[in-house]
Amino acid sequence: MSALLTIIIPAYNEAESLPSVLPSLLEKCKEENWKIIVVNDGSKDNTENVLDQFTNEPLLTVIKHKVNRGYGGAIKTGIQNTTTPYCITFDADGQHQINGVKLILQRMLSEDADMIVGSRIGSVSSGMFRETGKWIIRQIAKILMPINVQDINSGLKMYNTELAQKYIALCPNSMAYSDIITMIFISQKHLVLEEKIEVSKRIAGTSTIGVRTAFQTVIEIINILMLFNPLKIFIPLSLLFAFITTLWQIPIFIRGNGLSVGALFGYIFAFVIFLLGLIAEQLGLIRKLIINKNE
């Protein structure tokens, strides 16, 4: 029987955690006939030597990046090399639990889902600072796009491989990948579900997520929105400038001075923003046609 699932593990400087993580994963994969792809993303520690100890495992494929491409870049390489109908991203630091993967796959099949996000809501906290940052990102994403997923930046996601391979070219190589791929699936009207998962503390190492990561993620979210739904940004901006201009003009009009030059400029500017939104919307439609044509 051919394998249904591939577990994709991006690994950067995970020499301490991989010896504990891989044996249990391999045991489960042998039991379920799943595959594993580990992407060594230009690690500078002993990760390569650790992975060399598992080269005799037929279900395990190791791909090496000569230089670090980033979290998203490693996952994209894994997805590009996946040959099974479904794939799931899995952290190398020991936070994710292999026991819940089978339940997620069963739900994927039973509900014919295109993506299932492993929700960490209510699990082990990663610290007030990071939790606050994740919350802010989620709120910004929900304002910009209707999203029914609570934990869009979860690192554990199961995909329909064909769809994932189709969309990863639109995703960044950075940590923002996790948020963006979810938003792309949702914006393209694919069935995205959420399943609660258990998360453990990291076995070793420290997280590289910080303020810069959060800023990059917000920028990428706006970029994706500009690609799929630009009017969501341009129409509110146009209305905002028109409203501010009207507030500016009212006292001048009451004094009987007519339409001021400043107000005229404001209304023209608001109209130009609206026209730019229409142009961006047309470009977005063209991009969508190109994407759908490549299905």
Side-chain angles (χ1 to χ4, degrees):
M1 184 178 67
S2 59
L4 272 178
L5 180 70
T6 297
I7 300 174
I8 298 170
I9 305 175
Y12 177 65
N13 294 343
E14 296 289 357
E16 293 183 59
S17 57
L18 284 173
S20 300
V21 172
L22 279 180
S24 59
L25 286 179
L26 285 167
E27 182 180 350
K28 185 67 175 179
C29 287
K30 290 175 184 177
E31 177 185 328
E32 301 291 343
N33 190 31
W34 297 339
K35 296 181 179 181
I36 302 178
I37 294 177
V38 178
V39 181
N40 180 8
D41 191 28
S43 297
K44 298 178 181 178
D45 65 354
N46 201 39
T47 296
E48 183 174 359
N49 292 332
V50 171
L51 291 173
D52 286 342
Q53 299 173 17
F54 297 90
T55 54
N56 61 337
E57 297 290 345
L59 297 177
L60 174 64
T61 300
V62 176
I63 301 173
K64 179 184 176 182
H65 288 168
K66 293 181 180 180
V67 296
N68 180 258
R69 298 185 188 178
Y71 175 78
I75 290 179
K76 288 159 70 172
T77 294
I79 291 175
Q80 287 169 347
N81 287 274
T82 297
T83 57
T84 56
Y86 301 98
C87 58
I88 186 169
T89 51
F90 203 89
D91 285 354
D93 56 17
Q95 292 192 79
H96 294 152
Q97 305 298 312
I98 187 62
N99 293 332
V101 172
K102 186 174 182 178
L103 294 176
I104 296 176
L105 179 59
Q106 289 174 344
R107 188 180 180 195
M108 194 89 173
L109 295 170
S110 64
E111 301 194 34
D112 194 23
D114 300 305
M115 172 190 285
I116 294 184
V117 178
S119 174
R120 302 160 297 177
I121 303 298
S123 297
V124 177
S125 175
S126 55
M128 181 178 295
F129 178 75
R130 285 185 61 194
E131 289 300 323
T132 302
K134 292 175 183 177
W135 182 85
I136 292 173
I137 290 172
R138 286 195 294 267
Q139 299 314 306
I140 293 174
K142 289 179 180 179
I143 290 172
L144 296 176
M145 183 182 296
I147 293 177
N148 59 350
V149 175
Q150 294 296 314
D151 195 6
I152 64 171
N153 46 25
S154 171
L156 190 146
K157 291 182 174 71
M158 186 173 291
Y159 309 83
N160 174 304
T161 300
E162 184 179 355
L163 291 176
Q165 290 174 338
K166 173 183 172 182
Y167 295 130
I168 53 175
L170 300 172
C171 297
N173 287 344
S174 65
M175 293 295 298
Y177 167 89
S178 292
D179 307 79
I180 301 307
I181 190 66
T182 309
M183 294 185 70
I184 290 174
F185 268 69
I186 292 173
S187 67
Q188 290 299 94
K189 307 302 181 183
H190 297 299
L191 180 57
V192 179
L193 305 176
E194 196 167 20
E195 181 77 20
K196 183 174 174 56
I197 61 172
E198 295 296 327
V199 179
S200 304
K201 292 184 178 180
R202 294 177 63 97
I203 293 177
T206 57
S207 173
T208 58
I209 299 175
V211 175
R212 182 180 178 183
T213 302
F215 180 74
Q216 289 175 340
T217 300
V218 172
I219 295 299
E220 292 292 346
I221 288 173
I222 294 175
N223 286 337
I224 288 299
L225 188 63
M226 289 291 291
L227 173 63
F228 290 111
N229 193 6
L231 289 180
K232 190 80 173 183
I233 293 178
F234 282 99
I235 287 182
L237 278 178
S238 178
L239 293 175
L240 176 63
F241 276 102
F243 177 72
I244 293 174
T245 300
T246 301
L247 292 180
W248 168 276
Q249 174 61 29
I250 287 176
I252 300 174
F253 185 79
I254 292 175
R255 291 197 300 266
N257 293 332
L259 183 66
S260 68
V261 174
L264 180 62
F265 175 79
Y267 286 126
I268 291 174
F269 188 65
F271 184 64
V272 168
I273 291 177
F274 176 73
L275 291 179
L276 289 174
L278 292 180
I279 294 172
E281 180 73 11
Q282 293 303 311
L283 291 174
L285 290 174
I286 293 173
R287 289 169 179 159
K288 287 180 184 178
L289 288 174
I290 293 173
I291 292 171
N292 293 329
K293 189 176 180 180
N294 292 330
E295 287 187 355

